[in-house]
Amino acid sequence: MSEPKAPTPAPGDTYKGWLFKWTNYIKGYQRRWFVLSNGLLSYYRTQAEMGHTCRGTINLATANIAVEDSCNFVISNGGTQTYHLKASSEVERQRWITALELAKAKAFRMQAESDDSGDDSTPPAAGQGAGSRNSEVQSTLRTLGSKVEDLSTCNDLIAKHGSALQRSLSELEGVRLGGETSEKIRQVTERATLFRITSNAMINACRDFLALAQTHSKRWQKALQAEREQRVRLEETLEQLAKQHNHLERAFRGATVLPASQSNPAIDSKGPVSGKGDASDEDEENEFFDACEDVQEFITVPADPKYHRRSGSNVSGISSELGMDDGTTSLDEQSLASNPESPQSQELVPVRKRRTRIPDKPNYSLNLWSIMKNCIGKELSKIPMPVNFNEPLSMLQRLSEDLEYYELLDRAAKCQSSLEQMCYVAAFTVSSYSTTVHRTGKPFNPLLGETFELDRVQESGYRSLCEQVSHHPPAAAHHAISERGWTLRQEIALASKFRGKYLSIMPLGSIHCIFEKSTNHYTWKKVTTTVHNIIVGKLWIDQSGEIDVVNHKTGDRCHLKFAPYSYFSRDVARKVTGVVTDKDGKAHYVLSGTWDEKMEYSRVMQSSRGGENGADGRQKTVYQTLKAKELWRKTPLPEGAENMYYFSTLALTLNELEEGVAPTDSRRRPDQRLMEQGRWEEANAEKQRLEEKQRTVRREREREANRAASPSEEGKESADGALIEDSISDSPLKSEEVEIASEPSETTYKTDTDETSSDLSLSTETLHGSHPPAYSMEGPYGAPVKSGHQDNYKSMWFEQLVDPVTGEPTHIYKGGYWEAKEQGNWDSCPDIF
């Protein structure tokens, strides 16, 4: 059988067919539908995608086509794009090679003709139009050239006759009056006449040249303007493609927003990839579409059936989507992206200037392996650690760093729409992790009863108070209130797992944000913090998990996903995606960004379910959105932050001494102050003294609690207590225990020495899920939660109540601290330092 004749498509024809395209070393070659048209080779996953989803396009005008073997060939455009293709047979490969070479020659010829033409008039027919425009320009140039030659000839004649006239005039001056006079005058007259004739000819030639130039000048100016505009458009297109390139690199396998492009949708916008693969083929979870209009673009995120119960909406339903279910007006795009702060009230009291530096971190070496090698598999509450792994802040101060970007809540308080407000609250939840990316040092575990106040009413309109309300399990309560209409409160306890190579910290407890004007009540929880390379290698931190921000008044919800880092993933590190939905599960906004850099939002105009399922079995949802706008961006770290524990501007001020704070304030903690000053050996000794003092107080408190509970067995209890204490004292872990008690948004993996107990394991079930029988979960809001723990400690400024929203026992600020500060009366505070 003779080999089939290779196709020779006519101009304007297309060539289509199936080819196998190399994707990656895991999936190998995958079957794709390729379309060759107008000098562009595009491919799709299926034929059905031709109408809406182009997976990649390469321009053959600048491409190189190479044959590898009988069935394989390679198409590359110089490094940014390379397609490794395989046909089903050698005959099929030859058909494609022939069609590609013909299309390449045609595309190159059309590009050359386009480069030669500069006329802005209406494009004539192909082929004939380009030649006519070229001949017209050449004819005009030849005419102008002949006029220039005429001007040059006239110039030479003027110079010649002018010189002769000058000589005649000179001779006339030397002639004596007589018979020669009339002859000389006649010669001068003739030469002057010749000069006048030549000058007239020069003037006429100049007039003709000027007229001709004026005739074509407007046309040339118009053509030049068209070229300039085309160059500007190309520059804008390149800029858009660069942005799209950047977004695509950050958007594989996740939700992202593709910026609207004004370029041809067929133009390839894939980012550079290494090896043979094309990144779009590895993105089995998400689909990306070019915008159908300049103001709209497409985005896809994995749909959670629990939150997206609607299959989508059509264009006619967009106006109803924009309305808010609570009766408020729709969100103004500009106000959401940049809601300016109202100027603060002018006060005569000068704003305090706070410090911008702390002493540089000393370079003390320490063998971590010698400390950690015997700790694998043990409870974290039994792992000893020195202060060398700490940073000169307490966990209460790290918890206060959640307010680094308080402006987001200030803007949220001004929002008229609950969905708009949800976007800001979601951005605030993400912003609390921005300071953790380089902060590998562990904050000091607070002593029981330790407090930390952050009074920023004068500068920022809010004040915050934290207190260590429990030691076993370690828990801290936080309450912040702003003059701008919001309140933030939280109680955070931690469960942690040490697996030798990495440490996972699971924060337990809910965070509440209440807005005074709208009475919207939001709650959310923290994600898991993981510290990698505990034993060997450079420490690095990752945040992973999912957050549901819930508005308990309206039912609005924002589902945020923190993507874990994967070595084999091409995805951008630290990525966060989210969808804001109303109580009916209809999506209104899409959030995207990274937890260490910025967050953006996009209004959803239309949504629909995809035809394929993702890797996790969930059906994909396609969102058509407006252009992304920025919600939050991280403030750069201060200069020299790498030598100051990577503290932010706010963190540098947290341990600054202030007058009038409580005697239990973290700023007054001596071991922490010594560490900040670089006196680490003294800090270790002081830390041991403080913890021994706390152990003594705790044991005495337990004895008193036991006496009150069973007076008849007082003697027995005392003996047992002494026996337990002796056994603890004899234990090699005496006064050496580890507690991971940090603000969850701050990664804390290294540990303090602290109190010792025989039952200090951090049980997730006890801390979060179920409560022991000693807890009374019934009663109206405000009824205290009773505890059967033998330690009868009660916090100073917080009271444990049952939260009516979450049903969890939580410590809520009961008041009195700021009044005591105004009066300067701290008599009720314990002596913990």
Side-chain angles (χ1 to χ4, degrees):
M1 182 182 293
S2 61
E3 181 176 304
K5 184 178 180 181
T8 55
D13 290 349
T14 60
Y15 190 69
K16 306 175 184 179
W18 290 100
L19 289 172
F20 292 90
K21 181 181 178 296
W22 176 267
T23 58
N24 54 45
Y25 287 99
I26 297 177
K27 298 180 181 179
Y29 284 95
Q30 296 292 321
R31 192 165 180 253
R32 298 289 183 260
W33 179 257
F34 280 81
V35 177
L36 175 61
S37 177
N38 297 325
L40 301 175
L41 179 65
S42 306
Y43 74 95
Y44 310 84
R45 237 178 234 161
T46 62
Q47 298 183 49
E49 287 187 344
M50 290 181 59
H52 53 82
T53 312
C54 178
R55 298 290 173 177
T57 304
I58 192 168
N59 191 347
L60 295 178
T62 58
N64 180 38
I65 304 172
V67 178
E68 288 187 334
D69 52 32
S70 60
C71 295
N72 293 357
F73 59 100
V74 180
I75 304 175
S76 175
N77 65 351
T80 58
Q81 289 177 290
T82 302
Y83 292 172
H84 292 258
L85 306 176
K86 182 170 70 173
S88 57
S89 64
E90 184 175 1
V91 175
E92 183 67 18
R93 185 218 65 189
Q94 186 58 42
R95 289 177 179 173
W96 275 103
I97 292 296
T98 304
L100 289 169
E101 292 292 353
L102 290 173
K104 178 181 178 181
K106 177 183 175 183
F108 183 80
R109 183 169 60 252
M110 292 178 63
Q111 183 177 9
E113 293 175 354
S114 176
D115 293 339
D116 291 339
S117 63
D119 203 308
D120 69 322
S121 58
T122 303
Q128 179 180 358
S132 62
R133 288 197 303 270
N134 189 36
S135 61
E136 181 181 357
V137 172
Q138 293 297 330
S139 175
T140 303
L141 291 176
R142 284 194 298 270
T143 303
L144 291 175
S146 65
K147 292 297 181 180
V148 171
E149 291 177 358
D150 293 341
L151 290 174
S152 178
T153 302
C154 292
N155 180 67
D156 295 337
L157 291 174
I158 287 176
K160 176 181 177 181
H161 293 307
S163 299
L165 180 61
Q166 184 64 36
R167 288 195 302 271
S168 297
L169 292 174
S170 299
E171 292 173 358
L172 184 60
E173 291 176 354
V175 174
R176 291 176 297 177
L177 296 175
E180 298 179 356
T181 302
S182 58
E183 181 63 23
K184 293 296 182 182
I185 292 175
R186 185 182 59 82
Q187 293 179 0
V188 170
T189 303
E190 290 177 353
R191 291 173 180 174
T193 302
L194 290 174
F195 184 83
R196 186 182 69 252
I197 294 172
T198 306
S199 299
N200 291 335
M202 179 69 170
I203 293 173
N204 292 333
C206 290
R207 185 182 296 112
D208 294 339
F209 181 87
L210 179 62
L212 185 60
Q214 288 177 342
T215 302
H216 295 280
S217 63
K218 293 183 179 179
R219 186 175 183 181
W220 290 340
Q221 288 175 0
K222 199 171 182 181
L224 179 60
Q225 183 64 26
E227 291 292 332
R228 288 176 177 172
E229 292 175 355
Q230 183 179 7
R231 185 189 66 180
V232 171
R233 286 194 298 271
L234 288 174
E235 291 174 351
E236 292 175 351
T237 301
L238 288 175
E239 182 180 359
Q240 292 291 337
L241 289 175
K243 292 179 180 179
Q244 192 175 42
H245 173 99
N246 183 49
H247 277 278
L248 285 173
E249 286 185 339
R250 299 170 62 92
F252 297 137
R253 286 203 184 99
T256 187
V257 178
L258 295 181
S261 173
Q262 297 179 356
S263 58
N264 191 326
I267 296 179
D268 177 64
S269 58
K270 301 293 179 185
V273 296
S274 58
K276 292 184 176 183
D278 186 273
S280 63
D281 284 312
E282 285 72 65
D283 187 10
E284 298 291 343
E285 176 66 20
N286 302 279
E287 300 180 3
F288 302 93
F289 300 87
D290 290 328
C292 60
E293 298 179 10
D294 289 344
V295 297
Q296 296 184 358
E297 55 211 16
F298 287 87
I299 180 172
T300 63
V301 296
D304 191 335
K306 181 171 64 174
Y307 301 132
H308 303 283
R309 297 187 292 272
R310 294 188 179 183
S311 60
S313 60
N314 52 29
V315 178
S316 62
I318 291 178
S319 58
S320 62
E321 265 189 61
L322 300 182
M324 306 305 169
D325 292 335
D326 56 2
T328 57
T329 58
S330 61
L331 168 61
D332 179 79
E333 301 291 341
Q334 298 297 330
S335 65
L336 178 56
S338 57
N339 189 0
E341 292 292 330
S342 59
Q344 299 182 13
S345 58
Q346 300 296 327
E347 298 182 1
L348 298 178
V349 180
V351 177
R352 174 178 176 177
K353 184 177 181 181
R354 303 190 181 273
R355 67 180 184 180
T356 58
R357 289 197 62 84
I358 61 173
D360 288 351
K361 178 181 179 181
N363 187 16
Y364 293 150
S365 60
L366 186 66
N367 188 351
L368 178 61
W369 174 248
S370 63
I371 299 172
M372 303 294 288
K373 64 181 180 180
N374 296 322
C375 302
I376 298 176
K378 294 183 179 180
E379 288 291 337
L380 283 177
S381 57
K382 301 182 182 298
I383 301 177
M385 281 290 170
V387 299
N388 301 57
F389 299 109
N390 286 41
E391 63 180 17
L393 290 178
S394 78
M395 188 272 287
L396 302 180
Q397 291 165 318
R398 288 286 290 267
L399 195 62
S400 301
E401 283 190 67
D402 274 6
L403 300 171
E404 177 98 22
Y405 299 97
Y406 68 92
E407 301 95 338
L408 291 170
L409 296 182
D410 289 348
R411 296 176 184 175
K414 298 177 181 179
C415 295
Q416 300 297 322
S417 164
S418 62
L419 293 169
E420 173 189 357
Q421 195 173 70
M422 175 67 79
C423 292
Y424 280 112
V425 174
F428 176 78
T429 66
V430 176
S431 69
S432 63
Y433 297 94
S434 63
T435 61
T436 68
V437 61
H438 300 297
R439 300 275 289 276
T440 56
K442 174 196 175 297
F444 281 79
N445 283 341
L447 302 175
L448 187 61
E450 184 175 335
T451 62
F452 177 73
E453 71 162 69
L454 185 62
D455 191 349
R456 292 291 191 269
V457 172
Q458 188 177 354
E459 301 101 315
S460 307
Y462 72 86
R463 52 175 40 168
S464 163
L465 176 66
C466 295
E467 182 181 0
Q468 185 76 357
V469 296
S470 173
H471 202 62
H472 294 300
H478 180 208
H479 182 272
I481 187 169
S482 173
E483 295 178 341
R484 297 168 189 172
W486 55 265
T487 300
L488 182 76
R489 59 178 173 87
Q490 57 183 318
E491 179 181 347
I492 298 297
L494 296 171
S496 49
K497 296 292 184 181
F498 177 57
R499 299 302 184 190
K501 188 177 180 181
Y502 66 89
L503 174 69
S504 294
I505 303 170
M506 290 74 72
L508 307 174
S510 299
I511 304 171
H512 298 252
C513 185
I514 304 98
F515 292 95
E516 179 181 351
K517 183 178 179 180
S518 62
T519 68
N520 287 330
H521 189 146
Y522 297 86
T523 63
W524 66 91
K525 297 180 182 292
K526 296 280 189 178
V527 295
T528 299
T529 297
T530 305
V531 185
H532 297 268
N533 296 339
I534 294 291
I535 303 299
V536 179
K538 183 178 179 180
L539 293 170
W540 61 278
I541 297 165
D542 193 24
Q543 312 284 353
S544 60
E546 298 182 359
I547 294 178
D548 282 322
V549 185
V550 181
N551 185 341
H552 293 275
K553 178 183 176 182
T554 64
D556 301 337
R557 182 183 297 265
C558 178
H559 183 70
L560 293 171
K561 182 177 181 181
F562 289 65
Y565 174 80
S566 174
Y567 179 79
F568 300 99
S569 173
R570 298 189 182 205
D571 206 354
V572 63
R574 310 180 186 98
K575 184 181 68 175
V576 181
T577 57
V579 179
V580 176
T581 58
D582 58 21
K583 62 181 180 181
D584 297 321
K586 184 164 95 174
H588 290 264
Y589 295 98
V590 172
L591 306 180
S592 62
T594 57
W595 53 262
D596 68 324
E597 183 181 355
K598 67 176 181 178
M599 286 297 294
E600 296 177 335
Y601 85 100
S602 301
R603 178 194 285 270
V604 175
M605 302 303 294
Q606 187 176 359
S607 63
S608 60
R609 288 296 179 93
E612 301 178 8
N613 292 334
D616 56 358
R618 294 183 298 181
Q619 194 175 36
K620 293 178 288 186
T621 301
V622 181
Y623 295 113
Q624 181 181 358
T625 67
L626 298 179
K627 187 175 181 181
K629 296 182 182 295
E630 190 172 278
L631 275 173
W632 160 78
R633 179 176 291 274
K634 179 184 176 182
T635 304
L637 294 176
E639 184 179 357
E642 64 278 3
N643 300 321
M644 299 184 294
Y645 308 89
Y646 288 97
F647 281 179
S648 64
T649 303
L650 175 63
L652 290 173
T653 67
L654 294 180
N655 206 42
E656 185 177 8
L657 287 173
E658 293 187 14
E659 296 181 359
V661 298
T664 56
D665 196 272
S666 300
R667 299 176 180 88
R668 299 182 182 273
R669 183 164 175 167
D671 53 348
Q672 185 173 302
R673 181 67 56 188
L674 288 170
M675 182 188 178
E676 181 183 285
Q677 296 171 355
R679 300 153 62 183
W680 285 13
E681 292 184 2
E682 299 176 54
N684 272 315
E686 186 65 21
K687 178 169 171 287
Q688 186 175 359
R689 180 191 69 82
L690 291 174
E691 290 162 355
E692 183 61 34
K693 179 179 179 180
Q694 180 175 232
R695 274 189 292 273
T696 302
V697 174
R698 175 173 176 261
R699 289 167 185 163
E700 181 61 30
R701 197 166 53 242
E702 290 177 351
R703 290 191 185 97
E704 293 178 358
N706 287 335
R707 291 192 193 101
S710 52
S712 61
E713 300 181 1
E714 179 178 345
K716 183 177 183 299
E717 182 277 329
S718 300
D720 292 343
L723 183 61
I724 293 174
E725 183 176 355
D726 290 341
S727 66
I728 293 174
S729 301
D730 294 338
S731 171
L733 290 177
K734 173 186 177 183
S735 76
E736 293 179 345
E737 134 200 10
V738 172
E739 292 179 330
I740 301 300
S742 74
E743 190 272 308
S745 69
E746 313 296 331
T747 303
T748 61
Y749 71 97
K750 303 186 178 83
T751 55
D752 270 16
T753 61
D754 213 312
E755 296 184 29
T756 309
S757 174
S758 59
D759 56 347
L760 304 185
S761 61
L762 301 181
S763 169
T764 302
E765 181 180 357
T766 300
L767 294 181
H768 189 227
S770 62
H771 301 277
Y775 286 97
S776 173
M777 298 302 295
E778 299 178 356
Y781 178 71
V785 178
K786 299 179 181 180
S787 172
H789 195 283
Q790 63 178 355
D791 185 354
N792 60 351
Y793 174 79
K794 293 184 179 180
S795 57
M796 186 72 187
W797 310 109
F798 290 80
E799 182 180 10
Q800 192 173 32
L801 306 171
V802 177
D803 190 283
V805 175
T806 63
E808 301 173 351
T810 184
H811 282 81
I812 298 177
Y813 177 63
K814 61 183 179 181
Y817 179 87
W818 303 107
E819 292 78 5
K821 181 180 179 181
E822 291 178 1
Q823 299 171 6
N825 182 10
W826 303 112
D827 296 339
S828 58
C829 291
D831 180 16
I832 61 175
F833 298 144

